[in-house]
């Protein structure tokens, strides 16, 4: 671990100004905010993250969960994953988010992990975490050993020839299905970024993972008002029963009336290079009967563009079953 | 078996006894190796090779050497002399990787230590280690998973002495197999597995002139002392090894690894105590792992299920440096009755870290293969797998031609089947359902060695009514502190709260390795003899001390029970407390020493001594989402008399959970390109967690085996892991129709 300066931010302005000095807010950032630290400190110990300055944002007033005037929810950036998962409104109206959060990591980690930190958690690709190995994401242009190596956990959707790393977050998948908006304050003021436009595909710049620029501080996330009468399910498939990242997961928010699907929002996790919203699956379902056959069709559509790597071909079928089953669970209520 | 704590005057032996060291552990008072700190202590962090095959051609220390707090960067040219230890010295010199660290510039596995940064703080040492730049010539590492036996002679060198590749043979296995009406020929694969005790390997070395003291997380302090004495050219008595508490080892801490001489060499050179604690990643590289095995099992049988032949041919991998023997055939030759048998092995070198014993070494992968083959044969013959085993139950150990000292495997099957409800099993694949789940039921038998290592112990009776029992063995978390106290209490009648236990130190009477599930069995005779001798000494004091109520009595007239000396003819309750007699004689204490001889590997044994048992496993299967979970396990164990049912159950349950991990999750993957154990973290190396641990119903038969010791206690640390994986894979087949013969069973194997 490299020696770094630790700064405890007193207010938003100070935090943003401090971070605006950085050359990038992406891989290689020399200034980093720290929230729960469960991603950042871990990667600093591995020398994957080597910031010279670490700005602690835990004392900023960003830890509230509040309803918004339009009936939605405003979630502060430093709200702990545990607190969010157990929040009564979240459990009631955004069950898919609560379930997704609780399926992630362990109690201890969730007690530390925050909303913003979770949005920005890094891939678990094992080569990314080992500085002795090449990795285009960590060291642009050095190559991607995962393509010929251990890639069982890696992506089947959205990968490029430069990087096939999965976005490992469960929370983000639920937020994608809930159409969350991420609110950022930066040196040039504030802006709101729909979650679908927040994470980037790797393309030929896998080191760039989000649209964030130096000094950008996530202040909160908003969720639109819940779709009344919708049913929500988060289903996560993995080898063991707990404390493991998803091999495939599905977040579904659907509304059924008269046996037909009248609203569907679907996102997949564990399979994409970013939290994977699937308009194709949604289109298949819309206005169609809520039947297992249609659910399977939706799943086929969601995975139509999937591309297998040497070890993870099974994830295509697994993700299909995951989505079809999640839809079935939601339909059953 | 009583499950309540002992009442007044009752012996704790055979009763569920909470750990006597429990309060110290939960309050943080128990000191593990890395908790020891000394004035002026320095911290060492090794530099690991990032190739698995090649040579170091350049070591650039310029930056690292000038970093804050750095005291030295040690490497091949400045580490000072470290000798090799001699191979094959018994439990006094065992070391799997005998090449001393830095001996040459050849890299044979990923993570091999190249240099050692020593600094005033851990952080500074780590930063310096990270700043060392290494130049290599690289060769393509060989981490090929398909194993073919290398061309080697029949007689081989191994860490545990010479071994014959043709391990066991009787009848004419080839001919019998060729003519057998029913045949099975399958190959089973177990992956490399890594020990993952929560406590990392750690060493703190202190030199005082020519004396070396080592705090080490060790399962064998005396062996470590022997190896270190050789490596530093010291008389054994100049080396002391201390290991008071061990946060488990699973076999990985039986024998020393290279960090240990490195810490000692650094302390020697810098004249200060040096502490070296491994990282989790290093735990996957340089401190041993269970070898990958590939085992071909051939069974010949009659149509009604009597075995006529058994071939067990196995190959395992090992590193370029070790001579570890993974004895997969350990149980094969005696576990079943079969007239024609051949067990043989081969081995293959790979660019991996040394292989080593891991809980149930040899027999655990071995029984996975043979028990799986038996289950497959049962399916092939359409007979119940228990019935097949009953049919082939041996009357004697057919490999040694010796009777078993105590074998109650059939009763294990009966009890296990009863508790599990096995008679309700419908053998048809996928036929059993509960709610929306498909059930799979499977079973397998298990066995593990029972023997004694030599052991010594001492016991003191003290003038304040307390006792101290001492033995330089280790408590690796299994309950040895408690067993020693129970044994002392059994003989002296002193209650557990008045018994002090000392262990984990080579300055104490020589005790056994915490390995092979042999500690408890070995300690019984030694502690009992020590207690007898202490009592003798006490009775002599009673008859010779002026003013003693027994001054005029003959030694033989006296007896000692429940802490009191009395005249045999009288009521023991009217006896005199021993503390009283010691006070009268102005003695602080009387001591007795005791010894037990070893029986492990005894060529003149009159009995074949083993423990036995079986597991019944239920899995649930949801094909819609390819979800497989173990939902319950029933285990019946015949391991002699159980001295502490609470600790015993804990051992079996833990082993079963580890068996579930072996069956479904655990494997170390070596990166094909670099040879790195790539999943080297607790997040990426998947083991069973609490949520994977189903209800486990453990039954002990509790038949004493008097061949092992007076109490009839055999060991229970490992047997619970043997056989679990075979029972799980049988259950997987029963539910899914898919036969997985390469562990772990993965989702992709079942997604059809
Ligand atoms: C062993 C393990 C298992 C895990 N398992 C799972 C799992 O199963 N599912 C899952 O979803 N997750 C899992 N996680 C990941 C975990 O959810 C994340 O580590 C956590 O959510 C990160 O939050 P944090 O607050 O600790 O982030 P930090 O580590 O504090 O920060 C992460 C990143 O976000 C940046 N950041 C933080 N706050 C802000 C802000 N307000 N504005 C701008 N940038 C900010 C930091 O600079 C840093 O780059 C696991 C983690 C571990 C270590
Ligand atoms: S998949 Fe991406 S993160 Fe992994 S090694 Fe390749 S470039 Fe690096």
């Amino acid at each position: 671990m490299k020696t770094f300066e630790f700064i405890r931010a007193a207010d938003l302005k100070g935090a943003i100004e401090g971070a605006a000095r950085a050359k990038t807010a992406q891989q290689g950032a020399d200034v980093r905010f720290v929230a729960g630290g469960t991603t950042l400190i871990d990667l600093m110990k591995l020398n994957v993250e080597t910031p010279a300055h670490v700005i602690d944002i835990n004392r900023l007033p960003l830890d509230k969960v509040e309803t918004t005037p339009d009936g939605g929810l405003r979630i502060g950036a430093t709200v702990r994953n545990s607190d969010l998962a157990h929040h009564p409104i979240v459990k009631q109206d955004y069950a898919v988010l609560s379930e997704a959060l609780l399926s992630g990591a362990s109690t201890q980690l969730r007690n530390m992990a925050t909303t913003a930190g979770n949005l920005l958690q890094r891939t678990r690709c094992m080569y990314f975490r080992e500085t002795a190995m090449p990795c285009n994401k960590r060291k642009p242009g050095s190559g991607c050993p995962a393509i010929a190596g251990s890639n069982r956990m890696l992506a089947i959707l959205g990968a490029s020839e430069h990087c096939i790393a999965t976005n490992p977050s469960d929370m983000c998948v639920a937020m994608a299905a809930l159409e969350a908006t991420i609110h950022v304050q930066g040196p040039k003021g504030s802006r709101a970024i729909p979650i679908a436009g927040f994470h980037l595909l790797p393309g030929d710049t896998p080191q760039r993972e989000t649209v964030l620029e130096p000094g950008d501080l996530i202040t909160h996330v908003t969720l639109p008002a819940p779709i009344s009468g919708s049913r929500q399910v988060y289903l996560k498939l993995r080898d063991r029963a707990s404390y493991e990242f998803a091999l495939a997961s599905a977040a579904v928010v659907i509304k059924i009336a008269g046996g037909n699907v009248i609203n569907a929002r679907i996102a997949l996790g564990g399979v994409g290079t970013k939290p994977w919203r699937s308009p194709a699956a949604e289109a298949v379902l819309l206005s169609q009967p809520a039947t297992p056959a249609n659910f399977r069709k939706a799943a086929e559509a969601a995975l139509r563009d999937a591309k297998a790597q040497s070890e993870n071909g099974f994830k295509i079928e697994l993700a299909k079953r995951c989505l079809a089953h999640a839809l079935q669970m939601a339909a059953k209520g | 078996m009583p499950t309540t704590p002992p009442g007044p005057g009752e012996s704790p032996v055979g009763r569920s006894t909470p750990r006597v060291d429990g309060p110290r552990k939960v309050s943080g008072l128990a000191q593990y190796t890395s908790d020891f700190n000394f004035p002026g202590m320095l911290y060492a962090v090794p530099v690991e090779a990032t190739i698995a095959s090649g040579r170091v051609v350049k070591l650039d220390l310029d930056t690292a050497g000038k970093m804050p707090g750095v005291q030295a960067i040690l490497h091949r040219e400045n580490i000072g002399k470290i000798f090799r230890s001699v191979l094959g010295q018994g439990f006094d010199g065992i070391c799997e990787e005998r090449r001393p660290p830095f001996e040459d510039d050849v890299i044979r596995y990923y993570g091999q230590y190249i240099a050692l940064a020593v600094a005033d703080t851990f952080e500074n040492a780590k930063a310096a280690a990270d700043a060392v730049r290494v130049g290599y010539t690289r060769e393509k590492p060989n981490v090929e998973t398909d194993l073919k036996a290398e061309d080697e002679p029949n007689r081989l060198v191994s860490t545990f002495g010479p071994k014959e590749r043709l391990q066991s043979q009787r009848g004419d296995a080839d001919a019998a197999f060729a003519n057998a009406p029913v045949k099975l020929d399958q190959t089973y694969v177990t992956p490399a597995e890594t020990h993952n005790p929560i406590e990392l390997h750690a060493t703190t070395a202190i030199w005082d002139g020519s004396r070396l003291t080592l705090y080490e997380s060790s399962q064998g302090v005396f062996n470590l002392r022997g190896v270190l004495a050789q490596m530093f050219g010291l008389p054994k008595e100049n080396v002391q090894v201390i290991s008071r508490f061990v946060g488990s080892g699973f076999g990985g801490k039986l024998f020393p690894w290279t960090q240990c001489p490195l810490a000692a060499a650094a302390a020697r050179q810098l004249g200060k105590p040096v502490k070296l604690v491994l990282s989790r990643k290093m735990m996957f590289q340089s401190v041993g792992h269970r070898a990958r095995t590939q085992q071909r099992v051939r069974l010949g049988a009659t149509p009604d299920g009597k075995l006529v032949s058994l071939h067990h041919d196995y190959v395992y991998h090992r590193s370029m440096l070790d001579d570890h023997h993974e004895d997969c055939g350990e149980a094969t030759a005696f576990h079943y009755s079969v007239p024609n048998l051949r067990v043989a092995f081969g081995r293959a070198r790979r660019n991996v870290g040394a292989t080593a014993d891991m809980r149930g070494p040899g027999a655990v992968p071995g029984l996975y293969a043979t028990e799986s083959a038996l289950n497959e044969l049962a399916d092939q013959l359409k007979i119940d797998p228990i019935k097949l085993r009953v049919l082939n139950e041996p009357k004697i150990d057919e490999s040694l031609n010796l009777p078993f000292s105590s074998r109650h495997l059939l009763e294990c099957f009966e009890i296990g089947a009863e508790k599990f409800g096995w008679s309700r099993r419908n053998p048809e694949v996928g036929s059993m359902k509960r709610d929306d789940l498909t059930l799979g039921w499977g079973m397998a038998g298990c066995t593990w060695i029972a023997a004694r290592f030599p052991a010594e112990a001492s016991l003191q009776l003290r003038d304040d009514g307390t006792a101290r029992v001492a033995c330089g063995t280790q408590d690796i978390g299994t309950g040895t502190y408690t067993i020693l106290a129970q044994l002392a209490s059994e003989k002296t009648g002193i209650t557990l709260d008045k018994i002090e236990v000392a262990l984990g130190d080579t300055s104490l009477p020589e005790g056994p390795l915490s390995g092979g599930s042999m500690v408890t069995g070995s300690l019984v005779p030694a502690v009992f003899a020590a207690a007898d001798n202490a009592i003798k000494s006490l009775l002599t004091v009673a008859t010779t001390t002026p003013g003693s109520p027994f001054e005029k009595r003959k030694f033989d007239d006296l007896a000692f029970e429940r802490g009191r000396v009395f005249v045999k003819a009288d009521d023991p309750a009217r006896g005199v407390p021993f503390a009283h007699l010691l006070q009268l004689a102005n003695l602080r204490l009387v001591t007795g020493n005791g010894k037990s001889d070893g029986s492990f590997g005894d060529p003149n044994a009159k009995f074949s001594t083993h423990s036995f048992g079986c597991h019944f496993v239920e899995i649930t299967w949801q094909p819609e989402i390819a979800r497989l979970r173990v939902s319950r396990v029933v285990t019946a164990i015949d391991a002699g008399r159980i001295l502490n049912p609470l600790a015993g159950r804990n051992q079996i349950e833990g082993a079963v959970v580890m068996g579930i991990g072996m069956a479904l999750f655990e494997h170390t993957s070596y990166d094909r390109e670099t040879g790195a154990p790539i999943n080297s973290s607790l997040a990426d190396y998947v083991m069973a967690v609490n949520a994977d641990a189903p209800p486990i119903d453990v039954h002990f038969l509790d038949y004493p085996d008097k061949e092992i010791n007076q109490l009839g206690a055999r060991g229970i640390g490992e047997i619970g892991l043997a056989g679990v994986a075979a029972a799980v894979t049988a259950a997987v087949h029963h539910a899914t129709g898919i036969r997985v013969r390469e562990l772990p069973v993965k989702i992709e194997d079942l997604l059809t």
Side-chain angles (χ1 to χ4, degrees):
Chain A
M1 193 192 256
K2 200 174 116 182
T3 308
F4 58 90
E5 181 194 21
F6 182 78
I7 306 150
R8 186 162 275 153
D11 51 30
L12 259 60
K13 191 166 161 280
I16 294 164
E17 276 169 12
R21 291 181 289 167
K23 283 191 273 304
T24 173
Q26 304 294 325
Q27 176 62 31
D30 50 341
V31 186
R32 280 285 189 215
F33 296 123
V34 66
T38 62
T39 287
L40 183 69
I41 306 296
D42 189 24
L43 292 176
M44 285 168 69
K45 286 189 190 167
L46 297 173
N47 294 323
V48 172
E49 292 265 16
T50 52
H53 314 277
V54 172
I55 303 175
D56 177 11
I57 59 163
N58 284 292
R59 297 206 180 162
L60 300 184
L62 302 173
D63 61 348
K64 302 259 172 335
V65 181
E66 297 152 313
T67 47
T68 58
D70 62 356
L73 202 65
R74 177 193 161 109
I75 304 162
T78 59
V79 173
R80 306 287 153 180
N81 286 178
S82 296
D83 294 336
L84 186 58
H86 294 296
H87 194 281
I89 298 176
V90 176
K91 279 166 61 178
Q92 168 77 32
D93 293 336
Y94 305 98
V96 66
L97 178 59
S98 178
E99 287 171 22
L101 285 163
L102 292 177
S103 76
S106 64
T107 311
Q108 295 89 331
L109 283 158
R110 294 192 296 267
N111 288 344
M112 291 302 291
T114 63
T115 315
N118 200 326
L119 282 167
L120 294 170
Q121 68 170 289
R122 312 294 304 277
T123 184
R124 295 293 309 190
C125 172
M126 295 182 277
Y127 301 92
F128 171 69
R129 296 168 61 84
E130 171 57 90
T131 52
M133 310 263 180
C135 166
N136 286 332
K137 186 186 275 300
R138 183 171 27 75
K139 207 168 163 219
S142 60
C144 174
I147 290 172
S150 280
N151 53 41
R152 180 173 184 264
M153 298 294 291
L154 301 187
I156 50 176
L157 288 166
S160 72
E161 59 182 319
H162 303 283
C163 179
I164 58 170
T166 325
N167 180 304
S169 172
D170 291 300
M171 182 195 82
C172 292
V173 182
M175 284 191 173
L178 292 169
E179 297 190 330
T181 302
I182 295 152
H183 299 265
V184 172
Q185 267 186 44
K188 290 182 224 142
S190 24
R191 54 195 206 281
I193 309 160
I195 190 163
F198 183 76
H199 297 98
L200 302 174
L201 291 175
D204 55 7
T205 53
Q207 71 278 15
R208 289 196 63 80
E209 293 175 350
T210 66
V211 296
L212 293 184
E213 295 293 338
D216 280 348
L217 176 74
I218 298 174
T219 53
H220 61 282
V221 173
T222 51
L223 303 179
I227 302 167
S228 76
S230 69
R231 291 169 183 172
Q232 310 182 5
V233 166
Y234 188 74
L235 177 63
K236 178 173 179 178
L237 304 183
R238 48 185 159 186
D239 299 303
R240 67 181 165 195
S242 169
Y243 192 49
E244 194 185 3
F245 291 92
L247 284 165
S249 71
V252 303
V253 179
I254 59 168
K255 188 168 177 176
I256 300 170
N260 283 350
V261 175
I262 59 165
N263 199 331
R265 293 193 205 145
I266 289 170
L268 300 176
V271 287
T273 50
K274 58 181 259 184
W276 203 261
R277 178 86 184 263
S278 179
E282 294 166 8
V284 167
L285 290 176
L286 211 58
S287 312
Q288 297 299 313
T291 60
N294 283 335
F295 296 156
R296 179 70 198 190
K297 267 192 211 151
E300 299 285 349
L303 276 298
R304 189 164 300 134
D305 297 330
K307 188 172 163 290
Q309 301 294 331
S310 57
E311 293 180 345
N312 67 6
F314 73 100
K315 284 175 49 165
I316 299 178
E317 174 59 21
L318 190 69
K320 287 179 189 171
R321 290 195 196 182
C322 182
L323 176 54
H325 196 71
L327 287 165
Q328 186 64 24
M329 286 165 71
K332 273 194 194 158
Chain B
M1 264 179 293
T3 50
T4 48
E10 283 175 328
S11 165
V13 164
R15 290 181 175 273
S16 281
T17 307
R19 286 158 202 270
V20 295
D21 50 331
R24 273 192 285 170
K25 285 189 166 165
V26 296
S27 64
L29 282 176
Q31 278 188 296
Y32 291 82
T33 296
S34 67
D35 295 331
F36 287 94
N37 292 312
F38 301 93
M41 190 171 75
L42 302 174
Y43 296 80
V45 172
V47 177
E48 304 141 82
T50 56
I51 64 167
S53 178
R55 273 174 194 281
V56 175
V57 289
K58 188 162 179 275
L59 209 53
D60 177 354
L61 309 174
D62 285 358
T63 315
K66 295 192 197 98
M67 289 180 65
V70 172
Q71 306 290 304
I73 311 277
L74 299 177
H75 49 90
R76 189 156 69 89
E77 269 139 40
N78 64 1
I79 184 81
K81 189 73 192 162
I82 307 176
F83 298 96
R84 282 189 176 231
S85 59
V86 175
L87 180 69
Q89 283 219 308
F91 293 113
D92 203 23
I94 296 186
C95 177
E96 297 285 12
E97 185 173 327
R98 284 171 47 255
R99 169 190 178 274
F102 307 169
E103 195 186 51
D104 54 28
D105 59 11
V106 181
I107 302 300
R108 299 171 176 90
Y109 62 91
Y110 196 96
Q112 183 181 318
Y113 302 142
I114 297 172
L116 186 74
V118 190
D120 55 349
T121 65
F122 168 75
E123 289 75 11
N124 283 339
K126 171 78 171 104
D130 288 345
V132 171
R133 294 284 157 262
V134 187
Y136 303 102
T137 53
R138 291 161 196 266
E139 279 154 35
K140 177 95 185 144
N142 179 359
V143 290
E144 174 59 46
T145 49
D146 186 33
L147 303 177
K148 287 195 186 57
E150 281 160 15
D151 215 2
E152 290 189 280
N154 183 43
R155 205 176 150 81
L156 300 176
V157 168
S158 97
T159 309
F160 300 107
K163 296 279 173 207
E164 310 237 331
R165 289 182 60 183
L166 181 51
Q167 189 171 347
S168 187
Q169 171 163 243
R170 58 182 180 257
D172 184 343
D174 286 346
F177 182 70
N179 298 323
V182 181
K183 293 188 176 65
L184 180 123
D185 182 354
Q186 293 295 352
T187 298
Y188 302 89
V189 175
T190 65
E193 286 185 311
T194 298
H195 315 79
N196 268 300
I198 287 303
E199 186 203 18
L200 303 162
H201 285 253
T203 307
T204 298
I206 306 163
W207 284 87
D208 177 9
S210 62
R211 272 189 58 83
L212 170 62
T213 307
L214 210 72
Y215 289 79
E216 171 86 17
S217 180
S218 170
Q219 293 178 247
V221 292
F222 287 94
N223 180 74
L224 180 55
R225 179 184 68 173
V227 173
L228 263 279
Q230 295 185 55
M231 289 187 131
F232 290 91
L234 296 171
K236 258 200 315 205
E237 55 275 21
N238 285 21
V239 181
Q240 184 182 1
V241 179
I242 298 167
S243 196
R244 298 241 191 270
F245 289 93
V246 180
S248 199
F250 301 116
K253 294 173 181 170
L254 281 168
F255 311 122
W257 298 106
T258 46
Q259 95 281 350
C260 185
L262 275 184
R268 174 177 66 182
Q269 182 143 155
L270 298 166
K272 290 191 174 152
V274 169
K275 183 190 281 192
L276 196 171
V277 183
L278 296 199
S279 66
R280 184 59 62 180
K281 187 165 111 193
M282 292 173 191
M283 297 285 284
F284 284 80
Q285 298 169 343
S286 46
V287 288
H289 66 273
R290 196 199 289 280
R292 182 180 179 85
T293 75
Q294 200 164 308
Q295 308 176 53
R296 181 177 183 200
V297 181
R298 278 171 285 172
L299 300 177
T302 63
D304 53 3
K306 182 70 197 86
L307 289 178
V308 296
S309 73
L310 195 174
H311 289 78
H312 188 185
D313 296 286
Y314 60 97
V315 191
Y316 54 82
H317 86 192
R318 59 186 178 133
S319 71
M320 298 294 169
L321 293 167
D322 74 83
D323 296 302
H324 174 76
H325 175 52
E326 187 67 25
D327 190 359
C328 299
E330 193 259 322
T332 315
F334 69 80
H335 202 41
Y336 319 97
S337 173
V338 56
N340 304 291
L341 167 138
R342 198 180 70 209
V343 183
F345 74 90
R347 39 191 201 177
R349 292 228 189 252
R350 292 290 181 266
N351 288 109
V352 296
T355 52
D357 287 335
M358 180 164 164
R359 201 177 195 176
V364 162
L367 281 161
Y368 157 66
T370 53
E371 289 294 294
S372 294
L374 238 66
N375 285 335
E376 288 200 49
L377 181 66
D379 286 350
Q380 197 174 320
L381 294 167
K382 295 198 170 24
I383 65 175
D384 186 274
I386 300 179
K387 196 174 153 212
L388 181 68
R389 287 172 171 85
V390 173
L391 259 173
N392 293 290
E393 171 73 2
K395 293 204 169 52
I396 60 162
D397 177 331
E398 294 175 4
S399 68
L400 299 175
N401 256 317
L402 288 177
F404 290 105
S405 59
S406 173
R407 173 169 170 138
H408 302 94
L409 180 58
L410 299 189
E411 194 176 330
C412 289
F413 291 146
E414 271 167 41
I415 292 178
E418 222 283 299
K419 301 279 174 193
F420 188 81
W422 185 256
S423 60
R424 297 194 306 276
R425 177 178 185 257
N426 177 349
E428 195 190 322
V429 165
S431 63
M432 295 180 69
K433 306 274 178 193
R434 186 172 61 224
D435 306 328
D436 286 338
L437 304 169
T438 304
L439 301 183
W441 285 10
M443 62 82 57
C446 60
T447 177
W448 184 249
I449 329 158
R452 285 185 318 273
F453 285 133
E456 294 172 21
S458 73
L459 189 140
Q460 297 175 336
L461 298 168
R462 301 191 291 208
D463 68 340
D464 54 1
T466 65
R468 177 182 191 262
V469 56
C471 173
T473 188
Q474 310 68 219
D475 187 330
I476 57 172
T478 50
T480 307
Y481 273 107
T482 310
I483 286 284
L484 276 163
Q486 284 179 287
L487 295 176
S489 178
E490 158 89 8
K491 286 297 269 193
T492 62
I494 300 170
T495 52
L496 294 177
D497 58 323
K498 292 205 169 72
I499 297 173
E500 179 192 336
V501 181
L503 52 68
D505 189 334
T506 52
S507 66
L508 299 172
E510 187 152 345
L513 280 174
S514 299
S517 302
M518 291 190 219
V519 170
T520 298
S522 312
L523 291 180
V524 173
V527 175
F528 278 15
D532 285 340
N533 288 331
I535 291 165
K536 270 189 207 148
S537 177
L538 175 73
L539 298 187
T540 307
V541 169
T543 55
T544 55
T545 301
S548 154
F550 307 107
E551 199 186 343
K552 304 264 146 50
R553 294 284 182 176
K554 285 211 215 71
F555 179 93
D556 289 341
D557 292 346
L558 298 186
F560 177 88
E561 252 177 43
R562 297 188 189 174
R564 287 166 185 264
V565 176
F566 58 96
V567 177
K568 276 179 191 162
D570 292 353
D571 176 9
R574 289 187 24 231
V576 180
F578 71 89
H580 197 85
L581 291 168
L582 292 175
Q583 288 160 13
L584 205 67
N586 193 24
L587 289 171
R588 167 63 176 138
L589 50 85
V590 286
T591 302
N593 296 316
K595 236 183 184 170
S596 56
D597 57 345
S599 68
F600 182 56
D602 177 4
N604 302 315
K606 293 197 188 59
F607 291 94
S608 170
T609 53
H610 300 271
S611 286
F612 301 94
C614 61
H615 306 281
F616 290 81
V617 169
E618 176 183 276
I619 59 127
T620 62
W621 168 237
Q622 266 174 293
E624 320 83 81
I625 50 172
R627 181 178 282 169
L628 181 82
R629 298 284 181 251
V630 177
S631 48
R632 65 191 177 100
V633 177
V634 173
T635 294
I637 298 287
D638 164 28
R641 178 146 180 239
I642 303 302
L643 302 188
N644 184 354
L646 191 63
R649 177 159 298 119
N650 175 244
Q651 281 301 302
I652 301 298
E653 287 174 349
V656 166
V657 172
M658 208 165 171
I660 292 171
M662 174 182 174
L664 302 179
F665 312 126
E666 288 195 44
H667 68 283
T668 308
S669 311
Y670 294 91
D671 183 47
R672 287 180 287 271
E673 184 62 28
T674 57
I678 192 76
N679 55 341
S680 56
S681 78
L682 288 183
D684 298 317
Y685 183 87
V686 181
M687 293 182 281
V689 292
N690 275 336
D692 297 297
I696 303 167
D697 192 0
V698 179
H699 295 271
F700 290 116
L701 267 51
D702 215 28
Y703 289 120
D705 183 345
K706 292 291 165 79
E707 284 308 309
I708 300 292
N709 51 48
Q710 299 94 317
L711 293 176
R714 300 191 294 232
I716 42 167
E718 291 160 285
I719 185 161
L721 175 52
V724 177
V728 172
T729 50
V732 167
H733 176 260
H734 183 221
T736 67
I738 297 168
R739 201 65 89 176
V740 180
R741 300 189 185 89
E742 176 167 348
L743 297 184
V745 177
K746 296 192 285 299
I747 289 176
E748 45 269 52
D749 298 326
L750 307 178
L751 253 188
T752 48

